[in-house]
Amino acid sequence: MNQELSHIVKVYSTGSHKELSNYLIGKSKDTLIGILVDLLTMYINDKNSSTIREFLTVTLAGYEHKKGKIGYNGFKQDTFIPGKTLKCEAKPKNFDTEEFEKYKRGERKNSPGKLNGGGNFTDYTPARLEKDKQEKDLDMLVSGFADGKLIYIIEFPFTSPDFVRNLAIKIQKWQKKLKGSKSIKGQFLRSADFDYKDFIKSPNLKIVYLLNKDELAKYEPYISRGFYEFLEGKTR
């Protein structure tokens, strides 16, 4: 964080609105642009929060973003059926290219996981899976970023057979491990993950956003081979 941005954050948190306004008014246009770019770069690449990536994914897909961690991530009104509400669950993923460079330099043992159309559901349960399956108007939005640069957004129904089957298998394996436990009440499957192979055959799959072929090629090293081939086949 540069010194200007650091100072602004401190004034915002410890000073008054007037103090902050007076400080910003005295800054040049170039300085303000630099501060904003630094703030956005830091925010969109935050490893501890995917809020802004989630917001972009949901809004670019035409949904209204829903704040908060409880419930689905967005909603919109069906354009064909008045009064019908469509919901979405967003799973954005950001690839940190510096971690990849560390791997190539031998500064980390394992290569960071490449973008593969994947995501995961935390603290998942059989009851949650059944609830989600009953939501006939629930769509998944998976997106991929590299250092905050949006590469793709893919939309497909949650009820896509391969997708639901994968989650059901993950739940079953988790339950099998818990078999014999005194109680499974209150316990969750910490991570029910998926990747592109679990939804690319969905008949209602939709490419919401995708870089053109030349731009996509620049990010090939950060995308798993099979998924890259799928994306390349969808480019213009």
Side-chain angles (χ1 to χ4, degrees):
M1 184 183 297
N2 66 44
Q3 292 184 351
E4 286 285 4
L5 179 55
S6 175
H7 183 71
I8 288 172
V9 170
K10 292 175 182 177
V11 174
Y12 178 87
S13 298
T14 63
S16 66
H17 178 75
K18 184 176 181 179
E19 287 177 303
L20 179 61
S21 296
N22 289 338
Y23 182 78
L24 293 175
I25 288 173
K27 297 301 172 184
S28 69
K29 180 180 178 181
D30 287 342
T31 297
L32 291 174
I33 290 174
I35 292 170
L36 179 59
V37 169
D38 284 348
L39 180 61
L40 287 172
T41 299
M42 183 174 65
Y43 190 19
I44 202 167
N45 286 293
D46 190 346
K47 295 181 179 179
N48 298 311
S49 173
S50 62
T51 300
I52 193 169
R53 298 188 293 272
E54 178 184 290
F55 171 81
L56 282 168
T57 300
V58 168
T59 56
L60 287 175
Y63 293 82
E64 183 174 339
H65 186 240
K66 180 179 179 296
K67 297 179 181 179
K69 295 183 178 181
I70 299 176
Y72 300 118
N73 302 130
F75 62 91
K76 65 181 177 180
Q77 299 304 312
D78 193 314
T79 55
F80 300 104
I81 304 177
K84 183 179 181 181
T85 301
L86 307 177
K87 310 175 189 68
C88 70
E89 181 79 11
K91 298 296 179 183
K93 185 175 181 181
N94 188 46
F95 187 88
D96 186 342
T97 61
E98 177 55 29
E99 291 302 312
F100 187 63
E101 293 303 316
K102 288 180 180 179
Y103 168 71
K104 291 198 297 183
R105 294 195 299 263
E107 296 174 12
R108 58 174 288 169
K109 293 182 179 180
N110 302 315
S111 174
K114 295 186 177 183
L115 296 173
N116 62 358
N120 72 86
F121 293 85
T122 57
D123 296 343
Y124 215 54
T125 64
R128 171 68 189 279
L129 176 59
E130 289 304 313
K131 177 182 181 298
D132 290 340
K133 285 166 58 178
Q134 295 304 313
E135 292 284 355
K136 302 301 182 183
D137 302 311
L138 173 62
D139 280 344
M140 292 297 303
L141 294 173
V142 295
S143 58
F145 298 75
D147 295 337
K149 172 70 174 180
L150 180 60
I151 299 174
Y152 61 84
I153 301 175
I154 301 173
E155 182 175 12
F156 60 91
F158 180 92
T159 53
S160 299
D162 290 343
F163 188 74
V164 170
R165 186 179 303 112
N166 169 67
L167 293 178
I169 290 173
K170 295 284 169 56
I171 289 286
Q172 290 169 3
K173 288 183 177 179
W174 168 71
Q175 289 179 312
K176 189 174 182 180
K177 287 183 179 180
L178 288 179
K179 192 175 182 179
S181 175
K182 292 183 179 180
S183 173
I184 63 172
K185 184 177 181 180
Q187 296 194 52
F188 304 89
L189 172 58
R190 293 303 174 190
S191 179
D193 62 323
F194 63 89
D195 63 30
Y196 76 99
K197 295 186 291 295
D198 299 311
F199 61 76
I200 58 171
K201 293 182 180 179
S202 173
N204 296 310
L205 182 145
K206 176 183 177 183
I207 303 296
V208 175
Y209 180 93
L210 180 61
L211 294 177
N212 63 47
K213 191 171 185 177
D214 291 339
E215 283 293 309
L216 180 65
K218 298 176 183 178
Y219 297 93
E220 183 176 2
Y222 316 130
I223 305 172
S224 65
R225 181 180 299 178
F227 186 49
Y228 180 82
E229 292 173 354
F230 167 77
L231 292 176
E232 188 178 41
K234 298 293 184 179
T235 58
R236 298 176 181 177

